[in-house]
Amino acid sequence: MTVHSMYRKTAVGLAVVALAATGCSTKNSNDATGTSGDDASAGTSTGPVELKDGSSVKLALIPGGAHPYFQPWKTTAELDKTDFKLGGVTFNETGEWDQGKQNNVINSLAAQGYNAFGIFGVSPTDINSTFEDLKSKGFAVGSLASCPAGDTNSADFCLSTDVEAAAYKATKATIEAIGGQGTIVHLTGNNVDSNTQRRIAGVKKAIAETNGKVTELPVITDIDKDLQTAQKAVADLLASKGKEIKGIVTTAYNPAVAAADGVASSKLPIKVVAIDDDAKILSGIKSGGVAATVTQNPVGQAYVGGWLLALLGSKQCTMKTPGVIVDSGSFVVTKANVDTYDAERKAKTTELQKDFAAQLSCK
């Protein structure tokens, strides 16, 4: 596990397809080591710590609003309910990317008896107050796919992508795809989001390592609102600069899909590196139209997050260090591993459970 106390992270968009549960291949109970006291390392088929009774836990997974990235959370919530025998689960994406509306959703669910919350906060600068309110009522709270801005995480834990590291990996793959020299351009999301700035930093770090062999056009931001916005931006870019661009690195969902489609249609010899595993992106990698992508771990976030929230919500366990921040992983996918990359992601999910187990104090 990598704990990133210096970062506050959010996930960039990906994963339209609801993936098979990555958290199921954990350590079997037959392999468990005996434990007692607060050494939380007992193994079960659903994780390295056995949840004794999840019936009192009602789990709510709450994105900031509708987005393809979060669709795997919906199916994984049902898996959480089955595997951990929870009293109830819900997936609610009606926050409409408005912190006030998301808070209303959270308060409504709390009033309905939900007592364990996995939340992607709309506003990284304001979400800690929401976490603090929930914690004051005795609820278990996890910050999933995004961590609060600043140096404090008031949730029990944060399980999220290190977005700067993911962007760095994507850019390194782009540089490799273009042969180590030439001009590239970075397409991304909301410019005022601190996480976008971290992605920009990750891209620039990789480019700086080429000592001038690779140059970058001005970053194109604010184009992840919807696919149409991204498509127009890509069309304008290719019309004005297409012949001088050798590579495009995208660190948001809609720009990735738009870039793959736009370059394919233009037939320009531009290498595209995406940051999602949308079906179009994976198809493009297989055909050679997309050089690579960097995927994240939304199923792992929802499965490991659900498991941890169930342990905390049932009062069986507490965090030894409340507010710990953990990187849920990012994975480079090329033609060589497009059919097998999910095994690496499943292994990471299993590793996340084992690493979190070492940070729990359990009855």
Side-chain angles (χ1 to χ4, degrees):
M1 178 197 69
T2 305
V3 178
H4 297 271
S5 60
M6 295 175 62
Y7 300 117
R8 290 299 181 268
K9 306 165 263 279
T10 189
V12 292
L14 69 155
V16 111
V17 181
L19 302 172
T22 64
C24 292
S25 56
T26 54
K27 185 177 177 182
N28 189 278
S29 56
N30 294 331
D31 302 323
T33 55
T35 85
S36 62
D38 63 5
D39 178 10
S41 57
T44 74
S45 61
T46 53
V49 178
E50 180 180 5
L51 178 65
K52 296 176 182 176
D53 183 6
S55 62
S56 65
V57 177
K58 292 185 70 176
L59 171 69
L61 297 182
I62 308 172
H67 193 284
Y69 177 85
F70 298 109
Q71 289 310 299
W73 284 19
K74 185 175 184 179
T75 49
T76 307
E78 293 300 322
L79 185 70
D80 289 343
K81 182 179 181 180
T82 300
D83 280 6
F84 310 131
K85 299 178 175 59
L86 304 182
V89 297
T90 190
F91 169 81
N92 190 306
E93 58 184 349
T94 61
E96 298 181 9
W97 299 105
D98 178 288
Q99 190 60 64
K101 291 180 180 178
Q102 186 185 44
N103 287 344
N104 290 339
V105 169
I106 293 168
N107 292 334
S108 175
L109 291 172
Q112 294 171 46
Y114 286 89
N115 55 8
F117 295 85
I119 300 169
F120 178 101
V122 174
S123 172
T125 57
D126 300 319
I127 194 62
N128 266 334
S129 61
T130 302
F131 294 158
E132 289 159 8
D133 180 60
L134 290 169
K135 290 293 295 175
S136 72
K137 296 173 182 174
F139 298 140
V141 185
S143 189
L144 298 182
S146 173
C147 299
D151 296 323
T152 301
N153 170 34
S154 296
D156 289 303
F157 63 91
C158 180
L159 180 59
S160 175
T161 310
D162 180 340
V163 296
E164 184 170 339
Y168 174 81
K169 291 177 185 179
T171 310
K172 294 286 281 187
T174 307
I175 292 167
E176 182 178 351
I178 66 172
Q181 58 185 5
T183 298
I184 68 175
V185 62
H186 176 202
L187 312 183
T188 190
N190 190 349
N191 189 50
V192 300
D193 184 349
S194 60
N195 295 289
T196 297
Q197 295 304 313
R198 291 189 180 92
R199 295 182 185 107
I200 291 172
V203 172
K204 291 188 181 302
K205 177 184 176 184
I207 291 171
E209 291 175 355
T210 70
N211 296 316
K213 290 182 180 179
V214 174
T215 58
E216 183 185 12
L217 292 177
V219 182
I220 299 176
T221 62
D222 300 308
I223 59 169
D224 194 33
K225 179 182 178 182
D226 52 48
L227 185 57
Q228 292 73 25
T229 300
Q231 287 171 330
K232 183 180 186 305
V234 168
D236 291 347
L237 172 68
L238 295 179
S240 62
K241 303 282 188 180
K243 291 183 179 179
E244 63 184 90
I245 297 169
K246 290 191 69 176
I248 296 176
V249 57
T250 59
T251 60
Y253 182 91
N254 289 304
V257 175
D261 284 345
V263 169
S265 298
S266 72
K267 297 187 172 18
L268 288 166
I270 297 172
K271 301 296 185 181
V272 175
V273 172
I275 199 141
D276 64 60
D277 54 3
D278 177 87
K280 282 188 177 182
I281 298 298
L282 297 181
S283 176
I285 289 174
K286 291 177 181 178
S287 69
V290 176
T293 193
V294 176
T295 69
Q296 296 175 93
N297 195 5
V299 175
Q301 290 165 355
Y303 191 82
V304 176
W307 166 76
L308 200 52
L309 287 166
L311 289 167
L312 299 174
S314 67
K315 311 301 183 185
Q316 179 180 333
C317 300
T318 58
M319 299 297 301
K320 291 179 180 177
T321 306
V324 67
I325 295 169
V326 177
D327 180 9
S328 52
S330 53
F331 314 89
V332 178
V333 180
T334 65
K335 199 168 187 176
N337 69 335
V338 67
D339 292 321
T340 60
Y341 74 93
D342 202 43
E344 182 183 358
R345 184 157 55 184
K346 290 178 181 179
K348 177 65 175 180
T349 297
T350 302
E351 178 190 329
L352 288 170
Q353 284 188 288
K354 292 177 181 177
D355 290 334
F356 267 123
Q359 301 190 49
L360 291 172
S361 177
C362 298
K363 296 176 182 177

